[in-house]
Amino acid sequence: MSSSENHESPGVEKKPNWLLLKESAEELYRAGKIYFTRKELVGKAREKDPSRSEMSLDFEIDLVTVNSSSKDRYKDPEKLFLYRVDRGRYTLYSPEEHGELEKYIGIKKVSPARKHLIEEVVSELEKMGYDASENRYAKPLQPDIVAEKGDEVVGVWVIDPGTPLSDQYKMLAYAIGSSLLNREFSEYIVVVPGELLKRVTKDLIDTLDRFKIRFATVREERRYTLQL
């Protein structure tokens, strides 16, 4: 073995299995092998790094396949690059040919209407004297927007007006439940589309008001206007 090969070997070994398989699949594809078997893919990966075990590489194939049934399948789009054509045969995943990734792993695209609405709600809160910002890295039970004014900290939930009514109900239930469980805010506001608010009973509104949970709606003209 040459000195250059000795120098490169540690770098190869540091690559995770998924990346080694991805590079191997791309090499097979470029070489004209549009469809390949698990054995061919593992074999190509072991050519690149013989230290990898056949078993570990074979196991990894299920984790990087978009239409795999494995419960441990990756969610990171970068790590999902294979598509299972039929039993034991694969090709590189193509959104144009096989459908968008969300179809397989349930990634929800951000609705343009909801994105615009969040921007409008933040703007309206700022006009009311709040220091408001979108909670971009919200964890479970955390609101979409956090607004502060003095000692007052308000958690604001925004129901996506661009989704079907059935999904709006689910988002409403999640917002209410999260507000009841997470009591770290001074007050809670749930911004709902007008049609959904019509379906919220007065009894529920009065009950939630005791927990400092209020509803606001939006009027859509040229742009959304928050109605508190």
Side-chain angles (χ1 to χ4, degrees):
M1 182 178 291
S2 68
S3 58
S4 61
E5 289 174 326
N6 280 325
H7 176 72
E8 293 174 359
S9 180
V12 172
E13 292 174 358
K14 290 179 182 178
K15 289 180 182 177
N17 278 350
W18 71 265
L19 183 55
L20 186 63
L21 285 169
K22 184 177 184 180
E23 292 176 352
S24 300
E26 290 170 347
E27 282 188 25
L28 288 169
Y29 196 91
R30 286 195 299 269
K33 195 78 176 177
I34 307 301
Y35 303 103
F36 41 82
T37 65
R38 295 174 76 102
K39 186 175 181 180
E40 287 171 331
L41 181 55
V42 169
K44 172 60 71 173
R46 295 195 74 234
E47 280 180 22
K48 295 170 70 66
D49 183 3
S51 70
R52 304 299 172 98
S53 77
E54 186 174 334
M55 183 179 297
S56 68
L57 290 169
D58 187 77
F59 175 78
E60 192 85 3
I61 289 175
D62 291 326
L63 309 188
V64 301
T65 302
V66 295
N67 57 337
S68 165
S69 59
S70 172
K71 64 181 179 63
D72 297 318
R73 178 183 53 191
Y74 290 123
K75 298 288 179 137
D76 183 347
E78 184 184 9
K79 296 180 182 179
L80 289 167
F81 53 87
L82 289 184
Y83 181 85
R84 188 169 71 91
V85 180
D86 52 41
R87 187 179 179 86
R89 293 179 69 242
Y90 298 80
T91 188
L92 287 179
Y93 163 66
S94 166
E96 293 77 17
E97 182 179 353
H98 306 124
E100 295 296 330
L101 198 57
E102 63 181 71
K103 168 183 172 182
Y104 300 101
I105 61 175
I107 293 178
K108 294 183 179 179
K109 292 183 176 179
V110 177
S111 161
R114 182 176 186 276
K115 183 178 184 297
H116 178 64
L117 177 54
I118 286 178
E119 291 173 353
E120 293 294 338
V121 172
V122 167
S123 177
E124 290 297 319
L125 288 166
E126 288 176 341
K127 290 177 185 177
M128 297 164 62
Y130 287 94
D131 180 10
S133 60
E134 182 180 356
N135 192 5
R136 296 180 183 277
Y137 303 102
K139 297 178 181 178
L141 307 184
Q142 290 288 325
D144 298 305
I145 298 170
V146 176
E148 301 181 52
K149 185 199 297 185
D151 295 332
E152 185 182 6
V153 184
V154 181
V156 184
W157 294 91
V158 178
I159 306 301
D160 189 346
T163 59
L165 188 59
S166 59
D167 289 339
Q168 292 180 24
Y169 273 120
K170 293 175 185 176
M171 288 186 278
L172 176 62
Y174 184 78
I176 292 173
S178 297
S179 299
L180 289 169
L181 290 170
N182 179 1
R183 304 304 299 169
E184 66 183 67
F185 294 89
S186 311
E187 184 182 0
Y188 301 81
I189 298 174
V190 184
V191 181
V192 297
E195 285 303 310
L196 179 61
L197 186 59
K198 291 176 184 178
R199 292 166 167 78
V200 180
T201 66
K202 186 177 183 303
D203 286 345
L204 179 58
I205 291 174
D206 291 342
T207 298
L208 293 174
D209 189 59
R210 295 201 294 270
F211 292 93
K212 297 185 177 180
I213 301 172
R214 295 193 295 133
F215 290 100
T217 188
V218 288
R219 183 175 69 244
E220 186 177 0
E221 294 173 343
R222 284 191 173 183
R223 57 186 243 165
Y224 293 108
T225 304
L226 185 63
Q227 305 289 302
L228 286 171

